[in-house]
Amino acid sequence: MKKLTVGVDIGGTNTVSGLVDNEGKCYGTLSFKTRDFVVFDDYIDRLCQDINNLKKVAKIEYELAGIGIGAPNANYFTGNIENPANLHWKDKAGNDLTIIPFVEMVKRHFPSTPVAMTNDANAAALGEMYYGGAKGMQDFLVITLGTGLGSGFVSKGDVIYGHDSFAGELGHICVEKGGRRCGCGNRGCLEAYVSAPGIKRTVFEVLAETNSTSELSNFTIENLESKDIYEAATRGDAVALEAFERTGEVLGMGIAAAVAVTSPEAVFLFGGLAKSGKYILEPTKKYMEQYMLKNFRNKIKLLPSGIDSANAAILGASALAWQKYNQLHADEK
Amino acid sequence: MKKLTVGVDIGGTNTVSGLVDNEGKCYGTLSFKTRDFVVFDDYIDRLCQDINNLKKVAKIEYELAGIGIGAPNANYFTGNIENPANLHWKDKAGNDLTIIPFVEMVKRHFPSTPVAMTNDANAAALGEMYYGGAKGMQDFLVITLGTGLGSGFVSKGDVIYGHDSFAGELGHICVEKGGRRCGCGNRGCLEAYVSAPGIKRTVFEVLAETNSTSELSNFTIENLESKDIYEAATRGDAVALEAFERTGEVLGMGIAAAVAVTSPEAVFLFGGLAKSGKYILEPTKKYMEQYMLKNFRNKIKLLPSGIDSANAAILGASALAWQKYNQLHADEK
């Protein structure tokens, strides 16, 4: 019988599950509002109900090969979500949960199925490796650009988790001593410059410096969105173009640092900002080459993600399930 | 019979070989001047003669379990030394060699012995793991502080080589946009601040800014040495102390970046500057904590290397030989 895995994407807003084969084809998804469940046990009951109900959605007989979960602050080693900023569950007694034993709870419902969990950016890296542009690569990194900057590093064909599973925080390397305040509390983090809010801050920085007119002058810091900056750039707006140039410089510098440490074959950009195409890729490529050590120059590919963004989070999580399945299968041999 | 490996340290000045057991005990060394041999074949003949002659030096019967080589610009995957700045050999026809097939040539002399080569900093990391402070650790990094800043990253118990074997160049991440010119041609590299020449440059930077008297005012940039700065610091010289403070800040920032990417259990400092003890360790620790993401704080050990510096390079190279031996041994099982 055909084997399929379930990929689960846990976000502050939605919890989405999808059935995925080993080529990244998605056979159906189900979702619910994460905040509809305050008590963690109830949340898990509903999630596992969805995982079972995927049978009805998919028009195919299958054997469940594994469940992979992508979540913020997920610890791959323990299977816990640790101190998440945007997920708030209580135990049955009404106490706030800070260390959430996610994998253990899912396994109670699926005792004979392999279950694994990792954070969103690591899941994105696994998705890229199993189904996307990193197929066959052993050493690469994926940078996810959204409200923050996430990163997943793959070395020798597996994710670098580090000692405590929290490796891959490229968004919080300091790129400007005493620079912009970051959401993490530090100053000058890469994420404070390269992310949706980051490029917005840069637009206002450029507007403050320039005399030239810009269609972006009509926006407040509240209502400006990434797509407005992109669209202004397509119309040749100098402020928008300068914001992309500066964003590309800082991202290129950050990538050069990542390259110096891990020497990847390729760097993949994923997420909202990455959709700005050449406006972000071209300056990033230019500055990445400039800031890199000579022996890395003109060797490292900078590529947009090869994963369809609609189901990307599900695909990444399912890739983790396939990895777990393959590891168990290899041990059986 | 007792098994021993040979560790070989190839430097621009000396080529040293040593016999080492699996606990890091050294049974004797031999060395010669690297520049005494212009033709590479002659150099290899002499090196392999030394390796054989170690039998006479060591007062012990042994079986040669492997040969490990540490060299600048060594490619672990190919066994070649690539474009080394300080090693100049010619082929028999008198042509300059830029890609030097080192492992292949040594294997001609020792066809039945495992031979492996890596760069100095990776060898230092392996030495730390086999004999030093990183015993039993799976995820750590070693920073070597000398005329440059080298680094070896270990993840899941093995060195991160990356796609082309040249990972671990922490010395060339940019810590100051448009900052000091580095030997590599770029600006603002960590190495330009944190290394023997780096702290010297910082002393002169501080002298240029200050009005206060300092015993370091008596030195020229030519004759000032690291130990002078260290000794001045032990006597409370404000300029020397400020130079260590600034060096520690930049190093702490660089370590925080390395931690964000790889989440190690510990960071080891090795080499000249690391011998300055608390003068470098204390500010480095302080700023490393400050620049790190919250969830890494107060968790990552910053330690001086646990390897005796006298034979450190030999030990590191021999650890590579033991790793190779153990891998072959595991395959046989």
Side-chain angles (χ1 to χ4, degrees):
Chain A
M1 204 190 305
K2 191 169 178 72
K3 290 185 174 67
L4 297 178
T5 60
V6 168
V8 180
D9 172 39
I10 298 166
T13 309
N14 295 307
T15 297
V16 192
S17 312
L19 267 177
V20 183
D21 72 11
N22 62 3
E23 291 177 333
K25 184 177 169 192
C26 187
Y27 288 79
T29 62
L30 283 171
S31 76
F32 63 95
K33 296 282 170 209
T34 303
R35 294 205 180 88
D36 283 355
F37 298 88
V38 173
V39 176
F40 184 59
D41 288 54
D42 300 340
Y43 171 88
I44 287 288
D45 286 348
R46 171 59 196 268
L47 170 61
C48 293
Q49 190 183 313
D50 270 16
I51 293 173
N52 278 319
N53 283 340
L54 283 168
K55 280 191 198 94
K56 300 174 194 163
V57 177
K59 286 153 188 120
I60 179 174
E61 286 283 297
Y62 64 89
E63 184 189 322
L64 184 59
I67 298 168
I69 302 157
N73 295 54
N75 186 321
Y76 172 78
F77 297 137
T78 62
N80 298 332
I81 299 180
E82 299 184 6
N83 307 304
N86 298 312
L87 300 170
H88 306 284
W89 289 302
K90 293 178 186 295
D91 65 16
K92 283 176 180 170
N95 303 308
D96 288 335
L97 287 171
T98 52
I99 304 292
I100 301 144
F102 209 100
V103 168
E104 184 195 324
M105 290 290 284
V106 172
K107 279 192 84 68
R108 286 192 197 168
H109 290 255
F110 299 94
S112 59
T113 305
V115 182
M117 184 172 69
T118 191
N119 75 32
D120 324 51
N122 291 338
L126 289 168
E128 205 66 49
M129 184 164 71
Y130 275 74
Y131 317 124
K135 265 184 206 167
M137 288 188 187
Q138 293 285 304
D139 305 276
F140 65 94
L141 70 117
V142 172
I143 296 176
T144 62
L145 300 166
T147 50
L149 185 153
S151 62
F153 286 76
V154 169
S155 168
K156 299 191 184 87
D158 198 8
V159 171
I160 297 179
Y161 287 106
H163 182 55
D164 66 354
S165 171
F166 290 108
E169 290 287 359
L170 190 66
H172 298 281
I173 69 168
C174 179
V175 291
E176 183 86 45
K177 228 190 286 182
R180 289 184 190 168
R181 184 69 73 186
C182 178
C184 76
N186 285 351
R187 282 188 174 277
C189 292
L190 181 57
E191 175 171 295
Y193 300 83
V194 184
S195 60
I199 192 169
K200 202 160 90 165
R201 292 164 86 168
T202 303
V203 164
F204 285 86
E205 183 184 272
V206 178
L207 282 170
E209 289 174 24
T210 189
N211 274 327
S212 55
T213 57
S214 164
E215 58 177 277
L216 298 176
S217 317
N218 304 317
F219 289 89
T220 67
I221 210 156
E222 281 295 311
N223 66 17
L224 179 65
E225 290 184 19
S226 298
K227 72 166 175 35
D228 302 316
I229 308 170
Y230 167 70
E231 284 167 9
T234 63
R235 289 187 285 265
D237 185 273
V239 169
L241 291 170
E242 177 62 16
F244 275 113
E245 179 82 9
R246 293 189 191 183
T247 305
E249 174 163 13
V250 183
L251 179 54
M253 198 174 136
I255 291 175
V259 165
V261 171
T262 62
S263 180
E265 180 176 353
V267 178
F268 295 90
L269 300 185
F270 177 83
L273 197 50
K275 286 186 194 155
S276 302
K278 70 172 182 179
Y279 297 103
I280 187 69
L281 282 169
E282 285 177 6
T284 303
K285 175 78 180 165
K286 178 175 75 181
Y287 288 107
M288 158 185 147
E289 293 291 345
Q290 184 181 310
Y291 280 101
M292 276 191 315
L293 199 56
K294 274 199 196 85
N295 58 332
F296 292 117
R297 282 187 197 149
N298 303 312
K299 289 197 323 195
I300 290 144
K301 302 173 197 112
L302 179 70
L303 300 166
S305 167
I307 295 284
D308 173 28
S309 61
N311 286 321
I314 295 294
L315 292 178
S318 81
L320 176 66
W322 283 117
Q323 186 190 42
K324 187 95 180 171
Y325 175 83
N326 292 338
Q327 283 165 354
L328 292 168
H329 197 69
D331 289 351
E332 280 163 14
K333 273 178 194 170
Chain B
M1 204 190 306
K2 190 168 177 74
K3 289 184 174 67
L4 296 178
T5 60
V6 169
V8 180
D9 172 40
I10 298 166
T13 309
N14 295 308
T15 297
V16 192
S17 313
L19 266 176
V20 183
D21 72 11
N22 62 4
E23 292 176 333
K25 184 177 168 191
C26 187
Y27 288 80
T29 61
L30 283 171
S31 76
F32 63 94
K33 296 280 172 211
T34 304
R35 295 206 178 86
D36 282 356
F37 298 88
V38 173
V39 176
F40 184 60
D41 288 53
D42 299 342
Y43 171 87
I44 287 289
D45 286 349
R46 171 58 196 268
L47 170 61
C48 293
Q49 190 183 312
D50 269 17
I51 293 173
N52 278 318
N53 284 339
L54 283 168
K55 282 191 197 93
K56 300 174 194 164
V57 177
K59 287 154 186 118
I60 179 173
E61 286 283 296
Y62 63 89
E63 183 189 324
L64 184 59
I67 298 168
I69 302 156
N73 295 53
N75 185 321
Y76 172 77
F77 296 136
T78 62
N80 298 331
I81 299 180
E82 300 183 7
N83 307 305
N86 298 312
L87 300 170
H88 306 285
W89 288 302
K90 292 178 186 296
D91 65 15
K92 283 176 178 168
N95 304 308
D96 288 336
L97 287 171
T98 52
I99 304 293
I100 301 144
F102 209 99
V103 168
E104 183 195 324
M105 290 291 284
V106 172
K107 279 192 84 67
R108 286 191 197 168
H109 290 256
F110 299 95
S112 59
T113 305
V115 182
M117 183 172 70
T118 192
N119 75 32
D120 324 52
N122 291 337
L126 289 167
E128 206 66 48
M129 183 164 72
Y130 274 75
Y131 317 125
K135 264 185 209 168
M137 288 188 188
Q138 293 285 304
D139 305 276
F140 65 93
L141 69 118
V142 172
I143 296 176
T144 62
L145 299 165
T147 49
L149 185 153
S151 63
F153 287 76
V154 170
S155 170
K156 300 191 183 87
D158 198 8
V159 171
I160 297 178
Y161 287 106
H163 182 55
D164 65 355
S165 173
F166 290 107
E169 289 287 359
L170 190 66
H172 297 282
I173 68 168
C174 178
V175 291
E176 183 87 44
K177 227 189 286 184
R180 289 184 189 168
R181 185 68 74 185
C182 179
C184 76
N186 285 351
R187 282 188 174 278
C189 292
L190 181 58
E191 175 172 295
Y193 300 83
V194 185
S195 60
I199 192 169
K200 202 161 88 166
R201 291 164 87 167
T202 303
V203 164
F204 284 87
E205 184 184 272
V206 178
L207 282 170
E209 289 173 24
T210 189
N211 273 327
S212 56
T213 57
S214 164
E215 58 178 277
L216 298 176
S217 318
N218 303 317
F219 289 90
T220 67
I221 211 157
E222 280 296 311
N223 66 18
L224 179 65
E225 290 184 19
S226 298
K227 73 165 175 38
D228 302 316
I229 308 170
Y230 167 70
E231 285 167 8
T234 63
R235 288 186 285 266
D237 185 273
V239 168
L241 291 170
E242 177 62 17
F244 274 113
E245 180 80 10
R246 293 189 189 182
T247 305
E249 174 163 12
V250 183
L251 178 54
M253 198 173 136
I255 290 175
V259 165
V261 171
T262 62
S263 179
E265 180 175 353
V267 178
F268 296 89
L269 300 185
F270 177 83
L273 196 50
K275 285 186 195 155
S276 303
K278 70 172 182 179
Y279 296 103
I280 187 69
L281 281 169
E282 285 177 6
T284 303
K285 175 80 180 163
K286 178 175 74 182
Y287 289 107
M288 159 185 145
E289 294 291 344
Q290 183 181 311
Y291 281 101
M292 274 190 316
L293 199 56
K294 274 198 195 87
N295 58 331
F296 293 118
R297 283 187 197 149
N298 303 311
K299 290 198 323 196
I300 290 145
K301 303 174 196 110
L302 179 71
L303 300 166
S305 168
I307 294 283
D308 174 27
S309 62
N311 286 321
I314 295 294
L315 292 178
S318 80
L320 176 66
W322 283 117
Q323 186 190 43
K324 186 96 179 169
Y325 175 84
N326 292 338
Q327 283 165 353
L328 292 168
H329 199 67
D331 289 350
E332 281 163 13
K333 274 178 194 169

